[in-house]
Amino acid sequence: DTGVSQNPRHKITKRGQNVTFRCDPISEHNRLYWYRQTLGQGPEFLTYFQNEAQLEKSRLLSDRFSAERPKGSFSTLEIQRTEQGDSAMYLCASEVPGANVLTFGAGSRLTVL
Amino acid sequence: GQSLEQPSEVTAVEGAIVQINCTYQTSGFYGLSWYQQHDGGAPTFLSYNALDGLEETGRFSSFLSRSDSYGYLLLQELQMKDSASYFCAVRAISGNTGKLIFGQGTTLQVKP
């Protein structure tokens, strides 16, 4: 068990390009979350999965954002047609339901030029 | 909806005691959590209170009053390494599931 792994750690892209982030949770954790964090702010909820089912997606999230967890293990977060306002740290976390402890990955930092 | 309020900054000296308050509004409530985040690092779990009262873990304690929708994190014998951001978080109930919603965070600066 190596914790929650996120890739890439850093991504610089030009406005209008698509980017994809990957998260590998702790193997026995069947709940997986995506959050976005900007400087000086708390993690902002984006979406979460229980196994392969996406249980909720933030209403703040535009249609340019999509997340999948096809086999209930790793997850991907794709941002289409990136905008400068998408620049942030994208955090993935996993937990065992009922444990009330989220384990976060180191995050993927996105910079949109 | 859900909202959490906590002070944006707190400063204290090494060896002192500091209390970080959190008030919340949520449509459903399972419990109050606290997370610590150092600059450039990921949030890490500190404590969870499901019931009223005080939970102690070493130098850190967390308190919850459900009737007041209020909790706090108490840090004793402050050390320089405690300089970090501290977030309270609540589980927001939606159907039979719950997502964790974070406050904006309190930046703690510990001075020598």
Side-chain angles (χ1 to χ4, degrees):
Chain A
D1 178 7
T2 58
V4 179
S5 176
Q6 292 190 243
N7 289 287
R9 294 290 313 277
H10 303 275
K11 178 71 176 178
I12 300 173
T13 191
K14 293 181 179 179
R15 188 178 55 185
Q17 298 296 304
N18 300 343
V19 297
T20 299
F21 301 116
R22 175 179 170 127
C23 172
D24 288 89
I26 294 171
S27 57
E28 63 268 26
H29 289 191
N30 56 6
R31 189 169 284 184
L32 184 149
Y33 296 79
W34 285 99
Y35 288 87
R36 176 172 62 189
Q37 188 176 30
T38 53
L39 195 63
Q41 301 296 312
E44 176 189 11
F45 171 79
L46 295 180
T47 188
Y48 81 115
F49 294 83
Q50 182 146 321
N51 300 311
E52 65 275 10
Q54 187 173 20
L55 297 185
E56 189 169 346
K57 181 177 175 180
S58 171
R59 281 172 283 181
L60 299 175
L61 221 56
S62 76
D63 291 342
R64 298 184 297 105
F65 288 72
S66 63
E68 294 183 341
R69 196 181 182 196
K71 297 182 179 179
S73 56
F74 74 91
S75 176
T76 57
L77 176 69
E78 182 183 18
I79 308 173
Q80 296 181 327
R81 305 181 303 281
T82 52
E83 302 172 355
Q84 287 185 325
D86 297 331
S87 295
M89 178 71 83
Y90 289 84
L91 293 165
C92 175
S94 67
E95 72 169 348
V96 174
N100 293 299
V101 178
L102 262 63
T103 301
F104 281 85
S108 293
R109 180 170 297 282
L110 173 64
T111 302
V112 182
L113 302 176
Chain B
Q2 304 85 30
S3 67
L4 298 100
E5 289 192 16
Q6 51 182 129
S8 58
E9 293 182 3
V10 174
T11 301
V13 297
E14 216 173 356
I17 299 172
V18 72
Q19 179 174 313
I20 300 173
N21 299 321
C22 174
T23 57
Y24 60 86
Q25 285 187 314
T26 179
S27 54
F29 182 76
Y30 283 139
L32 186 70
S33 302
W34 289 92
Y35 285 76
Q36 179 191 59
Q37 186 177 31
H38 286 99
D39 272 351
T44 57
F45 172 81
L46 289 178
S47 69
Y48 173 72
N49 293 66
L51 303 175
D52 285 2
L54 194 67
E55 296 278 346
E56 298 181 61
T57 308
R59 295 187 298 112
F60 293 4
S61 303
S62 56
F63 172 83
L64 174 65
S65 170
R66 296 171 73 105
S67 59
D68 296 322
S69 297
Y70 164 77
Y72 66 73
L73 179 69
L74 190 73
L75 298 87
Q76 302 182 71
E77 301 173 18
L78 281 174
Q79 301 175 10
M80 297 298 291
K81 67 178 182 180
D82 297 330
S83 293
S85 293
Y86 293 84
F87 299 93
C88 58
V90 294
R91 186 80 59 172
I93 298 172
S94 174
N96 61 354
T97 65
K99 63 192 177 195
L100 200 63
I101 302 297
F102 286 81
Q104 293 304 294
T106 299
T107 300
L108 170 63
Q109 185 178 15
V110 180
K111 295 186 172 181

